[in-house]
């Protein structure tokens, strides 16, 4: 005879609840399961009405059931929540790509927004590549650390109020056992709480905290929810495996063991003498960390430096290794390729430009002249002239800034000059300023004279905006600071006096800016050639639109629009001294920035030159020289066209 449902609904029971042993019908099981989650939510006050909640969706059973139950309860009890899905693509072929299809199905079924963030985009490494580098032994450490931060970043990106994860009762009981066995009391407290909140990070909640894994599987089965049911193909966490096996044995003897362990964990009082880590933020990436440099950044640094085991050891060891690394950095050579450029005579260049610039300016005067002393007013350069062993350096590039900054991309002029092998070296141009020195991202106006290891003169500036009211600042970089970051377009010479090209233009009648007019003029005058110029120009009269970068964006910048929202734009006034480079055509495979000038002033304005905004009154006065060589330094492996204006 069929057993009746325990709740007297009149239907026949078709299952036995693992948690209580009750025989129930399908409907009453759904009700019981959902109501328990509802109680977890209301009792723990997990959500505020009107807030947005991201569900960490992996495509596995827990998050699939969590998404379904949250959607159901949100409607049934009118929580007033906006629910979105957040997935992390670890880059594990054959595992994550399949499970993400499941998440996409959830997105379509439930009509929820879905955001997928990949390790590849965030860190430049997929788990496949990490495993190839370090083997299968410690890869869970990387994956866990990166995943935790990736979820924080994703939640920030979606601007959600909280993040719901699918941790179930079994997971939590296992974690309690593990922390007890390891004596990790600080973690023991954190893992038992139903919601965790710490400054600077988005609160995480666990609505399935009291739901048994067996019941989650049962719920998914009877609801016919589709989920992806393979364990990660890379070695599962062995220690957790033991805790899991132990818990399953206990559960067999006594099903309430899981709940009992959670209650024990919750009731345990932690002695005040137990030191709990102080939560601050990482000095590298700005995300939550109890150390100066967070675990994710440490692991990443290790990977990028070819020392992947770096972050796995003890903190003190890691610190020592990091210090060793930062001094070692100086001696590490930058990846470097070079080529000869086409070198028309200054007279040929003069003739081409004298003709072509007429399309853009009313008054054009181009001459070959003896270089005036550029160390004097109005140019204030570090060297007198533009002559001797001339070359262009294109270093790094926007892919190190966008979509997210790569903070390990900090360079040193001394190392650069060592590899350039020009003595002395006068370097001038556009770069990203030394953010470690100024404490935030900034535009660099490079203008340095370097002679071996012993002589370094900086006439460089940075352009930045102040915190808060975003006021413009143009600050000098001292001789003691020899670094810059992310990217640079530099004109290099020995700073010798000699013949140069003088370009004087007034009153703009065409659409092009000064530099674009010169560059396209060269391209037209020397077809199929690679002609590079570098030097300085003065915006003598008028004003120019220039941008200044804000501090590094915490959310990825993927579109031109997002980029323009992040940059600050300014109408800056003459006199402005600009330094930089241009090249008539893209050299194949060099992934060049074809023109790039940054300018500084003595009136606290500095930035990246776009174009003048005063065509009627504008006047430019430039001194340029032809570059003989082109050096491409630390070219990004993956590139994009964003941010090259
Ligand atoms: Zn029933
Ligand atoms: Zn960090
Ligand atoms: Zn720039």
């Amino acid at each position: 005879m069929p057993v009746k449902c325990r709740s007297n609904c009149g239907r026949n029971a078709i299952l036995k609840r693992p948690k209580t042993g009750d025989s129930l019908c399908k409907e009453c099981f759904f009700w019981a399961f959902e109501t328990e989650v509802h109680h977890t939510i209301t009792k723990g006050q997990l959500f505020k009405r009107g807030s947005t909640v991201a569900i960490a969706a992996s495509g596995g059973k827990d998050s699939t059931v969590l998404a379904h139950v949250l959607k159901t309860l949100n409607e049934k009890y009118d929580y007033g929540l906006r629910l979105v899905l957040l997935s992390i693509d670890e880059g594990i072929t054959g595992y994550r790509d399949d499970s993400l299809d499941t998440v996409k199905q959830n997105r379509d079924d439930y009509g929820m927004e879905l955001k997928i963030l990949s390790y590849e985009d965030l860190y430049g490494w997929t788990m496949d590549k990490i495993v190839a580098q370090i083997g299968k032994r410690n890869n869970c450490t990387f994956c866990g650390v990166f995943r935790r931060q990736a979820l924080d970043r994703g939640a920030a990106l979606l601007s959600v109020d909280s993040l719901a994860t699918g941790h179930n009762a079994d997971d939590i009981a296992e974690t309690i056992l593990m922390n007890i066995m390891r004596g990790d009391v600080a973690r023991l407290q954190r893992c038992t709480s139903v919601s965790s909140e710490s400054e600077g990070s988005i609160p995480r909640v666990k609505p399935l905290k009291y739901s048994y894994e067996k019941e989650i599987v049962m719920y998914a089965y009877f609801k016919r929810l589709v989920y992806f049911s393979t364990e990660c193909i890379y070695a599962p966490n062995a220690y957790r495996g033991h805790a899991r096996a132990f818990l399953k044995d206990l559960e067999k003897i006594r099903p309430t063991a899981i709940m009992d362990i959670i209650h024990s964990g919750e009731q345990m009082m932690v002695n005040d003498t137990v030191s709990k880590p102080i939560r601050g933020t990482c000095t590298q990436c700005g995300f939550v960390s109890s150390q100066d440099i967070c675990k994710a950044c440490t692991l990443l640094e290790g990977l990028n430096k070819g020392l992947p085991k770096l972050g796995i050891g003890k903190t003190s060891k890691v610190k020592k290794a990091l210090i060793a690394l930062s001094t070692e950095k100086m001696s590490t050579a930058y990846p470097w390729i070079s080529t000869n450029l086409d070198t028309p005579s200054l007279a040929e260049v003069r003739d081409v430009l004298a003709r072509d610039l007429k399309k853009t300016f009313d008054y054009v005067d181009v001459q070959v002249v003896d270089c005036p002393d550029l160390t004097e007013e109005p140019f204030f350069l570090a060297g007198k002239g533009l002559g001797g062993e001339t070359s262009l350096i294109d270093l790094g590039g926007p892919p190190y800034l966008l979509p997210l900054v790569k903070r390990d991309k900090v360079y040193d002029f001394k190392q650069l000059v060592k590899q350039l092998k020009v003595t002395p070296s006068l370097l001038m141009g556009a770069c990203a300023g030394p953010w470690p020195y100024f404490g935030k991202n900034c535009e660099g106006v490079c203008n340095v004279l370097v002679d071996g290891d012993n002589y370094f003169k900086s006439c460089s500036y940075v352009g930045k905006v102040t915190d808060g009211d975003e006021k413009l600042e143009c600050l000098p970089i001292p001789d003691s600071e020899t670094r810059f970051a992310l990217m640079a377009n530099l004109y290099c010479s020995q700073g010798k006096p000699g013949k140069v090209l003088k370009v004087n233009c007034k009153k703009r009648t065409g659409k092009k800016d000064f530099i674009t007019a010169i560059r396209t003029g060269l391209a037209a005058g020397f077809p199929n050639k690679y002609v590079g110029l570098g030097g300085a120009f003065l915006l003598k009269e008028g004003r120019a639109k220039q941008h200044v970068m804000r501090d590094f964006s915490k959310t990825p910048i993927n579109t031109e629009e997002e980029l323009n929202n992040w940059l600050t734009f300014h109408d800056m006034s003459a006199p402005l001294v600009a330094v930089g480079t241009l090249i008539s055509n893209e050299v194949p495979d060099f992934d060049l920035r074809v023109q790039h000038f940054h300018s500084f002033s003595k009136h606290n304005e500095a930035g990246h030159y776009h174009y003048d905004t005063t065509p009627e009154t504008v006047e430019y006065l430039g001194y340029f020289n032809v570059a003989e060589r082109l050096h491409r330094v630390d070219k990004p492996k993956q590139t994009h066209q964003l941010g090259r204006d």
Side-chain angles (χ1 to χ4, degrees), residues 319-435:
K319 265 198 183 142
K320 258 189 223 156
L322 272 179
I323 292 164
L325 265 182
S326 59
T327 46
E328 183 194 293
K329 227 183 248 169
M330 301 283 289
S331 60
T332 311
Y334 304 135
W336 193 292
I337 48 172
S338 303
T339 186
N340 284 330
L341 292 172
D342 293 300
T343 49
S345 70
L346 286 173
E348 285 174 286
V349 176
R350 173 197 63 203
D351 293 345
V352 163
L353 290 184
R355 210 169 43 235
D356 206 85
L357 287 175
K358 288 258 165 60
K359 293 177 195 159
T360 306
F361 293 96
D362 187 49
Y363 173 88
V364 176
D365 177 31
V366 187
Q367 292 182 44
V368 178
V369 300
D370 280 314
C371 193
D373 185 348
L374 295 175
T375 59
E376 308 223 316
E377 202 180 343
F379 284 97
F380 308 105
L381 297 192
K384 291 188 174 195
L386 301 173
E389 303 202 36
T390 59
S391 62
L392 303 185
I393 289 180
D394 190 324
L395 176 148
Y400 293 155
L401 173 69
L402 314 167
L404 284 166
V405 63
K406 302 218 183 328
R407 291 191 189 243
D408 58 322
K409 294 299 177 186
V410 174
Y411 303 88
D412 197 299
F413 284 116
K414 286 188 169 172
Q415 175 61 31
L416 195 67
V417 164
K418 224 178 253 173
Q419 292 180 245
L420 183 66
K421 299 190 183 84
V422 173
T423 323
S425 274
L426 175 68
L427 307 178
M428 61 181 77
C431 63
W435 61 263

Side-chain angles (χ1 to χ4, degrees), residues 469-535:
D469 55 358
E470 302 200 324
K471 273 217 206 71
L472 276 172
E473 275 183 320
C474 175
L475 306 173
I477 305 179
D479 292 341
S480 56
E481 180 52 69
T482 60
R483 295 172 298 177
F484 62 103
L486 305 174
M487 62 183 90
N489 292 91
L490 307 173
Y491 173 73
C492 318
S493 70
Q494 293 175 303
K496 286 185 181 164
K499 296 289 182 202
V500 292
L501 202 67
K502 173 189 165 192
V503 184
N504 185 201
C505 295
K506 291 183 217 178
K507 193 173 177 187
R508 184 163 55 81
T509 50
K511 286 218 165 71
K512 288 171 184 165
D513 65 85
F514 185 53
I515 295 303
T516 306
I518 294 175
R519 184 175 56 79
T520 54
L522 294 178
F526 303 101
N528 306 315
K529 296 231 153 107
Y530 305 113
V531 180
L533 291 190

Side-chain angles (χ1 to χ4, degrees), residues 127 131 178 198 217 231 326 355 378 426 429 458 503 526 610 641:
M127 275 312 290
V131 170
M178 284 164 65
S198 57
V217 174
E231 286 263 321
S326 59
R355 210 169 43 235
L426 175 68
S458 166
V503 184
F526 303 101
H610 284 281
Q641 288 308 309

